[in-house]
Amino acid sequence: MKINEFISRYRKWLIICPVVITVLMLLPLTKARINPDLMQYFPKDIESKINFDSIESIFGKFEPILIVVEADNILDESTLNDLSELHDSLIYLQEIDDVLSLFTTKYIRGEEGTMLVDPVVNYVPSTPEEIETLKAEIESNPLASGIFISKDFKYATFIVDPAEGFTDDQILENIFRIVDLFREKENIYLSGLPYLRYEIQSKAVRDLVILLPLGLIIMLIFLYFSFRERRGVLLPFSVVLMSIAIAMGLMPVLGYDLSIIAILVPIMMIAIANNYGVHIVARYQELNAKNPDWSMKQIVNESVTRLYVPIILTALTTIFGVLGLIVHIMRPAKQMGIVSSVAIAFALIFSLLFIPAILLGMKKGKPRESFKSEEKHSLIDKFLVWSSNVSTKLSLPTIYAFISFLIIVGVGIIHLQPSINFEKMMPVGHSLRTSSNILNNNFGGTKNISILFEGDIKSPEVLKTMDKFETLLKSMPEVGSVNSLSSVIRLISRALNDPGDELYDKIPDDKQTISQYIEFYSMSGDPEDFEKIVDFDYTKALMNVQFKVSNMKDLQKVQDEISWLTNSSPYASLYAGQCLIEKEMAQSVVRGQIYSLVFALLAIVILLWIIFRSPVAGLIGSIPLVLSLICNFGLMGWLGLELDIGNSLLSSVAIGIGVDYTIHLFWRLKYELSQGKTYSDAVTETLKTTGRGIAINAISVIIGFSVLFLSGLVILKTFAFLIIFSLLLCLLSALVFIPALCIVLKPKFLEKNGKYIL
């Protein structure tokens, strides 16, 4: 049974079934939830995550929230009173386990032969003399200066340790409530992984609530101006709505959480799902204008008969392109590839069956004048006339121009870097970005690596090894501070001994003296001060290395030094840090990009080979994709845009969408050549007719993705910019470069059998 006969026979069911499926897929959305935890986006078996979990199993989970306070002078009496009140307010929250600040970190000193351990700020100074005394004490205290207060005394930090059993929302909203009381007096900024998760979730919800309706409205407006006919608007638009429902409904059905990447799924459906219906409506309008005596049934039958094969093929190439995401390292990328591919398949079915079934029950619309007149008025029509002239009359210069552009822009790839800073997801001026800049410029930095030591921690050998590590690491320009039990032992030795004494500022040579140092500290200070750096039986200890880096190369340099030190010591067993997980995630993003790119590109080349029964078709058809991807990554390099979890999806999406234009072009060219036309005439006719559908298709996709510019997340804005740039290149390649290339090469697969194959 032919497709047009099938549509006529089962017309009512082809209208009812898509509506029922859509309603059923909306029901699971009530169970959907957003997962903002970036750490869960990647496999659990990555080495850095395993090491990090090992340290957390010993010393407990530690995901602090950092609060940075800016003031003209932190030691000013009113400012210190505010900070003291802020500290007290935070510590009383049940959602907070502990708060480290100037009011809790210790000042270890000797006085009249005894050792005293007090908080750095034990009282709020009220006179200039007292302020200068406190300032001098802080400057001499490595446990405070550069860690809890900047060396210029303009910034102070609070390290807030959240209590277990509370969500990020509960913790942060209570912190906001307190911090807001002090923001009128002081500038306060927040940082930390829990805050990043909170911001991702809130912005993701906002984007779904605002961008999805806005994208749909923009799509409606564009379809109206493209077709100037209600059916041309509502029919492709209805397919978009149904595809979004299926894609989003599938996620909870398959047990997937909504990730930051999941925001792209409905936007992708807005951009892609209308493609196939657009071509059918465009062909309907063309036939309606050129054949005024035809009935609606004849027009619909001819439209479907002529287009169902290329539409199916373009949908398959899009599906295979998007399915390239299933080989991505990142779990949400795999999930996005699966649900998007299924939704695109339904969009294909609805476009080929639902839209024609609706059209069969409608009256013929008023013919479009642009199809009946040789004079083209719309911008799209004028562009197609220009592309026809350029590709047919200036074929070789056109090819040279594209190749030159490819080389110039593509060279930028050498500057491309993966992103290792999650805070860059947020816009400039966001609290996360501001606090990170302050921490990097005025404190030790935002990166931290912990080195685990095992053995008899009180033994001189272990502590001297730790001290050696500390000295070597502090000599690195990237390292801001290094703290461990050995740091504390040296501070105690300064308090208990006079300058010039043999034991002053040194690790003792015998375990008994070390044990006495620790006992002296316990008598004056709080033994729990050590719980974050050594376990209760002194068999395991941590050294915390704080540093600042801006790129992968510098991070690797610090890691290499720590790795060399760890491997050279029998006491240092492993090292771990959040930044190392971020680094491995960044490397995974690069690998995922490569895997999905190779998979999608090979799939497209093979499909084009099969479709047109020629390997040349696969090679020529993939040229626009290769050109756009090389130029895309080159542009990223020139503009300093880093490769992150958002634009790592770019290759598969761009390949899946961009190849459609070339297939439609080849298919119509093949038909025009089979009618005995020359290559120039065939190209001209193809661009005037099918080119219009291609252009409308591409622009609708671009408009669909453009709503991401209004996202609250920088990575989605960057994705929008890059995917639009890619699609524009694919469009120009399909309507200018490929026609010019075909005129020069005259590929035999387009002339094969001299017939238009259906």
Side-chain angles (χ1 to χ4, degrees):
M1 183 185 299
K2 294 182 178 180
I3 186 170
N4 55 327
E5 295 175 357
F6 177 81
I7 293 171
S8 297
R9 179 176 297 184
Y10 299 105
R11 178 175 167 269
K12 290 183 179 179
W13 285 109
L14 295 178
I15 296 172
I16 294 172
C17 288
V19 175
V20 173
I21 292 171
T22 302
V23 173
L24 291 176
M25 292 308 295
L26 288 172
L27 299 178
L29 280 175
T30 57
K31 299 179 181 179
R33 74 179 190 92
I34 293 177
N35 180 7
D37 190 353
L38 301 176
M39 299 299 108
Q40 294 184 20
Y41 290 7
F42 292 83
K44 295 180 179 180
D45 57 353
I46 59 177
E47 183 181 4
S48 57
K49 185 71 169 66
I50 293 173
N51 290 342
F52 193 76
D53 291 342
S54 297
I55 289 178
E56 281 195 338
S57 67
I58 300 170
F59 293 95
K61 187 175 182 179
F62 188 55
E63 286 189 347
I65 298 166
L66 275 71
I67 300 176
V68 180
V69 181
E70 179 184 20
D72 293 333
N73 181 8
I74 293 296
L75 299 186
D76 179 78
E77 182 179 3
S78 62
T79 301
L80 270 182
N81 279 323
D82 287 342
L83 296 186
S84 176
E85 188 178 345
L86 174 60
H87 179 277
D88 293 341
S89 300
L90 290 170
I91 200 66
Y92 284 128
L93 290 176
Q94 62 175 344
E95 294 85 3
I96 302 303
D97 188 45
D98 194 13
V99 178
L100 302 177
S101 70
L102 287 170
F103 305 97
T104 57
T105 194
K106 297 301 187 286
Y107 175 41
I108 304 172
R109 68 190 188 282
E111 191 172 296
E112 298 180 355
T114 61
M115 184 179 71
L116 300 177
V117 181
D118 294 312
V120 171
V121 179
N122 200 20
Y123 66 95
V124 176
S126 57
T127 66
E129 292 76 15
E130 290 178 341
I131 291 175
E132 286 302 314
T133 300
L134 178 58
K135 183 177 180 181
E137 291 175 353
I138 291 174
E139 288 175 333
S140 65
N141 189 350
L143 298 180
S145 181
I147 298 178
F148 292 101
I149 188 168
S150 61
K151 296 184 184 298
D152 60 4
F153 295 91
K154 291 184 178 181
Y155 302 96
T157 60
F158 292 77
I159 301 176
V160 180
D161 186 13
E164 294 187 10
F166 297 95
T167 65
D168 290 337
D169 288 359
Q170 292 171 323
I171 296 166
L172 267 304
E173 285 169 8
N174 276 286
I175 290 178
F176 293 152
R177 178 174 53 81
I178 291 174
V179 165
D180 287 344
L181 298 175
F182 296 89
R183 276 207 167 107
E184 292 183 2
K185 303 177 183 178
E186 320 291 350
N187 294 322
I188 301 178
Y189 312 98
L190 272 69
S191 185
L193 194 59
Y195 181 49
L196 175 65
R197 289 196 299 261
Y198 176 89
E199 284 294 286
I200 288 175
Q201 177 164 315
S202 62
K203 292 187 183 301
V205 171
R206 169 200 171 273
D207 284 355
L208 283 174
V209 171
I210 295 176
L211 299 188
L212 181 56
L214 182 60
L216 293 172
I217 292 171
I218 293 174
M219 182 59 61
L220 276 171
I221 295 171
F222 172 75
L223 290 173
Y224 174 75
F225 280 105
S226 298
F227 295 113
R228 303 283 183 173
E229 196 174 359
R230 277 186 295 180
R231 71 191 71 191
V233 175
L234 298 179
L235 293 180
F237 185 74
S238 63
V239 172
V240 170
L241 291 178
M242 291 188 287
S243 301
I244 291 173
I246 289 170
M248 299 305 288
L250 266 177
M251 300 195 78
V253 167
L254 297 176
Y256 301 159
D257 289 334
L258 299 181
S259 66
I260 183 176
I261 294 171
I263 299 170
L264 291 173
V265 174
I267 304 300
M268 279 182 61
M269 291 305 105
I270 292 175
I272 298 173
N274 71 86
N275 292 358
Y276 318 117
V278 161
H279 281 286
I280 290 177
V281 173
R283 182 59 65 91
Y284 148 75
Q285 288 190 338
E286 177 188 347
L287 294 174
N288 187 33
K290 292 182 176 180
N291 303 279
D293 56 328
W294 281 19
S295 67
M296 192 64 169
K297 185 173 182 179
Q298 286 177 298
I299 293 174
V300 172
N301 288 346
E302 179 68 11
S303 298
V304 174
T305 301
R306 287 292 180 185
L307 287 177
Y308 83 91
V309 174
I311 285 178
I312 289 174
L313 296 177
T314 54
L316 286 176
T317 53
T318 301
I319 289 170
F320 272 92
V322 174
L323 274 177
L325 293 173
I326 66 173
V327 297
H328 203 288
I329 301 294
M330 197 163 45
R331 189 178 296 110
K334 297 176 186 283
Q335 297 168 355
M336 176 180 170
I338 293 171
V339 299
S340 297
S341 299
V342 173
I344 292 169
F346 273 96
L348 165 67
I349 295 170
F350 295 161
S351 297
L352 288 178
L353 301 178
F354 177 78
I355 289 180
I358 296 287
L359 282 173
L360 282 174
M362 303 177 77
K363 295 180 180 180
K364 289 174 60 176
K366 184 180 178 181
R368 286 291 303 271
E369 292 298 323
S370 60
F371 286 103
K372 298 193 296 181
S373 171
E374 289 298 319
E375 185 179 355
K376 305 301 182 182
H377 299 286
S378 73
L379 288 176
I380 291 177
D381 292 328
K382 290 178 181 178
F383 167 72
L384 294 173
V385 171
W386 172 84
S387 67
S388 174
N389 291 332
V390 169
S391 57
T392 56
K393 298 175 182 178
L394 299 169
S395 302
L396 281 175
T398 298
I399 293 171
Y400 294 148
F402 270 85
I403 293 173
S404 300
F405 182 78
L406 170 66
I407 294 171
I408 293 171
V409 179
V411 169
I413 290 178
I414 61 177
H415 304 295
L416 188 61
Q417 291 280 341
S419 174
I420 59 169
N421 297 300
F422 285 156
E423 67 270 11
K424 289 186 178 180
M425 293 181 182
M426 301 299 157
V428 175
H430 189 278
S431 182
L432 273 162
R433 297 281 291 265
T434 303
S435 60
S436 294
N437 290 334
I438 293 172
L439 292 169
N440 281 323
N441 295 329
N442 298 277
F443 294 88
T446 58
K447 306 298 182 186
N448 187 280
I449 293 178
S450 297
I451 305 173
L452 179 65
F453 288 82
E454 296 187 84
D456 184 357
I457 302 302
K458 293 181 181 180
S459 70
E461 292 81 8
V462 175
L463 288 172
K464 287 184 177 182
T465 299
M466 295 171 73
D467 189 55
K468 175 187 174 184
F469 276 35
E470 183 174 336
T471 301
L472 291 173
L473 289 170
K474 281 184 176 179
S475 67
M476 298 184 71
E478 295 84 4
V479 175
S481 67
V482 184
N483 289 291
S484 65
L485 183 61
S486 67
S487 310
V488 179
I489 295 299
R490 289 186 65 165
L491 285 174
I492 295 173
S493 73
R494 293 182 204 171
L496 294 176
N497 300 279
D498 296 325
D501 288 353
E502 183 181 353
L503 292 178
Y504 181 81
D505 196 21
K506 290 183 180 179
I507 304 294
D509 292 327
D510 62 285
K511 181 179 177 180
Q512 183 177 358
T513 303
I514 293 170
S515 297
Q516 287 177 345
Y517 279 8
I518 296 173
E519 184 65 28
F520 287 150
Y521 184 96
S522 299
M523 294 169 60
S524 182
D526 187 348
E528 292 185 0
D529 291 342
F530 294 163
E531 66 179 9
K532 293 295 183 183
I533 57 173
V534 65
D535 65 351
F536 72 98
D537 59 358
Y538 283 80
T539 59
K540 296 179 178 64
L542 281 186
M543 172 176 286
N544 296 308
V545 184
Q546 192 176 3
F547 58 98
K548 55 183 177 183
V549 294
S550 59
N551 55 59
M552 182 73 77
K553 182 181 178 181
D554 291 341
L555 176 55
Q556 188 65 54
K557 177 184 174 183
V558 175
Q559 183 183 356
D560 288 344
E561 180 69 13
I562 292 175
S563 178
W564 177 79
L565 289 171
T566 302
N567 292 332
S568 67
S569 169
Y571 307 115
S573 57
L574 60 86
Y575 60 90
Q578 192 68 51
C579 63
L580 297 181
I581 300 177
E582 293 173 9
K583 170 178 172 281
E584 199 160 348
M585 287 169 66
Q587 293 171 330
S588 297
V589 164
V590 175
R591 290 197 300 271
Q593 177 78 276
I594 295 171
Y595 295 162
S596 58
L597 172 59
V598 171
F599 177 91
L601 203 54
L602 283 176
I604 296 305
V605 170
I606 293 170
L607 274 174
L608 289 173
W609 184 344
I610 294 171
I611 290 167
F612 295 100
R613 304 174 189 176
S614 169
V616 176
L619 294 176
I620 295 178
S622 62
I623 287 175
L625 307 177
V626 174
L627 185 146
S628 69
L629 291 173
I630 291 176
C631 289
N632 212 314
F633 292 125
L635 183 68
M636 289 176 64
W638 285 123
L639 297 180
L641 299 175
E642 295 177 329
L643 189 62
D644 56 38
I645 63 174
N647 53 48
S648 72
L649 313 174
L650 194 65
S651 299
S652 293
V653 177
I655 288 173
I657 299 173
V659 73
D660 291 6
Y661 315 145
T662 306
I663 290 178
H664 279 289
L665 182 87
F666 281 168
W667 210 262
R668 187 59 180 255
L669 264 178
K670 194 174 181 67
Y671 171 72
E672 297 298 340
L673 289 171
S674 73
Q675 304 302 303
K677 294 179 181 177
T678 65
Y679 264 93
S680 292
D681 290 342
V683 165
T684 299
E685 184 62 24
T686 296
L687 293 177
K688 284 166 55 179
T689 53
T690 299
R692 183 169 178 270
I694 292 173
I696 293 174
N697 183 336
I699 296 171
S700 68
V701 172
I702 288 170
I703 288 176
F705 280 117
S706 67
V707 298
L708 290 173
F709 285 123
L710 301 176
S711 171
L713 296 166
V714 171
I715 62 168
L716 296 185
K717 292 181 180 180
T718 305
F719 178 87
F721 169 72
L722 294 172
I723 193 68
I724 288 173
F725 177 72
S726 287
L727 295 177
L728 281 173
L729 282 179
C730 286
L731 177 63
L732 287 172
S733 297
L735 297 183
V736 181
F737 181 65
I738 293 299
L741 198 62
C742 288
I743 287 176
V744 172
L745 299 179
K746 295 180 173 56
K748 297 298 181 183
F749 73 89
L750 291 176
E751 306 171 23
K752 201 170 185 180
N753 299 328
K755 294 180 180 179
Y756 179 60
I757 301 173
L758 285 175

